[in-house]
Amino acid sequence: MTDIQSIRTSLAPQLERLNQLIADKLRSPNPLINEVIGRYLSHKGKQLRPMMVILSANLLGASDPERVMASAASIEMLHNASLIHDDVIDQSATRHGISTINAMWDNHIAVLVGDYFVSSALQLVISTGDLRAVETIASLGRLLSTGEMDQINNATNHTISEEAYYEIISHKTASLFVACVEMGAYAAEADERRLDVMRRFAMKFGQCFQIKDDIFDYFKSDSLGKPTGNDLREGKVTLPLLHALSGEATMECLEMNALLMRGSLNDDEIATLIEYAIKAGGIDYANATLHRLRDEAAAILAELGPDLDTTPLLTLLDYIIDRDN
């Protein structure tokens, strides 16, 4: 049994309640909504985000299980909404081997169902009675959208720097994990010092998650939810290639930079850039960055003191760094 399976087993009763709560809150008198959502919920993902809410709440001593469940479920529903909308934008037919809503029905239905998830998440978080939690959910959508728009803007203007990259992933990915620990901390009535520690940890966690995701794009794998080179196909330059392009100004490096500036790339050009990124040490650099961020995240969590068992959160972090899909 892997460590992530051990965590999932220990949280099994809470995850079961979470999934039942989500199903109950999304139930509708409209049969089409029930059909679409029922099929969507039948294929659950890893549920890392609600697990992070629950683990944070447990770590900080939350005493109201219903409040924890409402917090975790609202995060998961908002996350699912973002995935449904992303599939429409990307015209994706599948996600991790499962047909998307837009592929099985159409974009119109997918957008409406995504909006239904958002509204349901907001309704549920209100039940916590905590305006801070409501603010977290309400502002999260803005941050996720900002990250995507930043990425589009940078691709259009060929803005390629590590600073711009980290700003994007902090908005589009890490912000969701920060929201997870905020929701867990609010449910536990944590003080500002502990809340600050959790936020800083979650930012490192989210950066690790996205960097690992970006590394996948440089290798072929049937288990991933997107084709190799898809980021470059969409004009997104991620950390491995960023590092390779910022290296010594050799003729090959200059040629790769010039190639990237052309804009739309064909499959052969994408393959050339991927090969260069790997050869120039981009993957090694990204992996080293992952482990540096992991150590920084662990040091941040240690600020909570020896009395709190942070092992489950660190195990979750190690899982996202070591995962193969």
Side-chain angles (χ1 to χ4, degrees):
M1 179 180 289
T2 64
D3 287 332
I4 185 66
Q5 289 171 324
S6 297
I7 293 176
R8 195 179 298 280
T9 298
S10 70
L11 296 180
Q14 289 172 290
L15 290 175
E16 184 176 353
R17 291 202 301 274
L18 169 87
N19 290 320
Q20 187 59 57
L21 177 60
I22 291 173
D24 290 344
K25 292 301 179 182
L26 290 173
R27 192 169 293 114
S28 166
N30 183 293
L32 180 56
I33 290 178
N34 288 334
E35 179 186 356
V36 176
I37 290 178
R39 187 188 182 283
Y40 182 84
L41 294 181
S42 69
H43 302 285
K44 296 178 179 61
K46 298 181 181 72
Q47 296 193 312
L48 293 177
R49 292 152 192 86
M51 286 172 64
M52 199 162 179
V53 176
I54 295 168
L55 289 175
S56 299
N58 291 351
L59 172 68
L60 298 172
S63 58
D64 184 347
E66 296 308 315
R67 187 173 172 184
V68 174
M69 287 300 103
S71 300
S74 62
I75 284 284
E76 180 70 348
M77 286 194 286
L78 190 61
H79 172 57
N80 284 330
S82 72
L83 297 181
I84 293 167
H85 286 158
D86 282 350
D87 289 337
V88 172
I89 294 167
D90 297 337
Q91 301 179 44
S92 301
T94 62
R95 178 174 287 275
H96 299 296
I98 305 299
S99 296
T100 57
I101 293 176
N102 48 293
M104 289 200 67
W105 283 273
D106 58 30
N107 286 347
H108 186 190
I109 287 177
V111 169
L112 291 173
V113 169
D115 291 346
Y116 186 80
F117 269 78
V118 172
S119 298
S120 299
L122 288 169
Q123 279 189 322
L124 187 54
V125 74
I126 288 171
S127 72
T128 66
D130 191 334
L131 285 178
R132 298 171 302 172
V134 175
E135 170 63 23
T136 290
I137 292 295
S139 63
L140 182 55
R142 288 169 58 96
L143 289 171
L144 296 175
S145 298
T146 298
E148 290 293 341
M149 292 297 288
D150 285 345
Q151 196 158 50
I152 292 170
N153 183 62
N154 287 354
T156 302
N157 296 314
H158 303 296
T159 302
I160 49 174
S161 71
E162 280 199 34
E163 182 181 4
Y165 171 78
Y166 278 108
E167 183 174 359
I168 288 169
I169 69 172
S170 294
H171 285 152
K172 68 171 281 190
T173 304
S175 64
L176 185 47
F177 289 105
V178 172
C180 290
V181 300
E182 284 182 349
M183 296 294 276
Y186 294 152
E189 299 290 353
D191 59 31
E192 283 298 319
R193 185 188 70 81
R194 289 183 170 181
L195 180 58
D196 175 67
V197 169
M198 298 302 293
R199 283 171 174 152
R200 287 186 285 122
F201 166 77
M203 179 58 68
K204 302 288 185 184
F205 187 107
Q207 290 171 345
C208 286
F209 184 93
Q210 188 59 55
I211 292 169
K212 184 68 175 186
D213 240 25
D214 292 340
I215 290 172
F216 288 144
D217 199 52
Y218 290 79
F219 300 96
K220 293 180 180 178
S221 172
D222 294 334
S223 64
L224 299 179
K226 59 179 181 178
T228 304
N230 198 54
D231 289 336
L232 281 171
R233 200 166 283 109
E234 296 175 0
K236 303 171 185 175
V237 184
T238 55
L239 190 60
L241 183 57
L242 278 173
H243 175 73
L245 293 174
S246 66
E248 185 180 351
T250 62
M251 182 60 70
E252 186 178 21
C253 184
L254 294 173
E255 289 173 354
M256 294 300 106
N257 273 284
L259 175 58
L260 188 63
M261 291 299 169
R262 290 182 192 174
S264 180
L265 301 170
N266 61 39
D267 288 346
D268 288 340
E269 290 167 336
I270 289 171
T272 296
L273 285 167
I274 288 175
E275 181 182 359
Y276 175 72
I278 295 172
K279 181 176 66 176
I283 301 299
D284 292 338
Y285 176 77
N287 279 320
T289 300
L290 280 177
H291 289 93
R292 173 179 61 80
L293 290 171
R294 192 271 179 206
D295 290 343
E296 292 173 0
I300 290 170
L301 267 192
E303 295 176 25
L304 293 174
D307 294 336
L308 297 184
D309 182 10
T310 59
T311 302
L313 281 174
L314 290 175
T315 299
L316 202 62
L317 176 57
D318 288 335
Y319 164 74
I320 66 157
I321 290 173
D322 296 334
R323 65 197 164 103
D324 55 13
N325 60 53

